[in-house]
Amino acid sequence: MLSSGRRSSAEVIVESPPGRYPNFGTISFTGSTVNGSSLSAVHPVALDPSNGVYEAHTGALSGGNFSIAYQHE
């Protein structure tokens, strides 16, 4: 069932067990879609992982393509 409600969401997630992220370099996501449309069509908000200090940074979104880059432990 597809929802058109205002509280709908879609997520692209990079997770780490509790604690800090290991050095994963850069991870690229390509062709990300929401209900058949490019991810950028829904104006998503990036939530960079933080444990008091940013551990990674999400790059700019272009269509359905973006990357997340490790910063430090």
Side-chain angles (χ1 to χ4, degrees):
M1 177 172 94
L2 295 176
S3 172
S4 61
R6 293 184 74 182
R7 293 181 177 235
S8 297
S9 70
E11 299 175 356
V12 181
I13 300 173
V14 175
E15 286 187 316
S16 176
R20 299 198 181 274
Y21 284 80
N23 185 345
F24 56 79
T26 299
I27 301 171
S28 296
F29 294 87
T30 59
S32 303
T33 63
V34 176
N35 295 335
S37 295
S38 159
L39 186 60
S40 63
V42 296
H43 311 288
V45 174
L47 301 173
D48 290 335
S50 171
N51 190 6
V53 175
Y54 285 105
E55 298 178 37
H57 178 71
T58 305
L61 177 63
S62 175
N65 306 322
F66 66 97
S67 63
I68 183 168
Y70 173 83
Q71 288 191 321
H72 56 79
E73 281 190 61

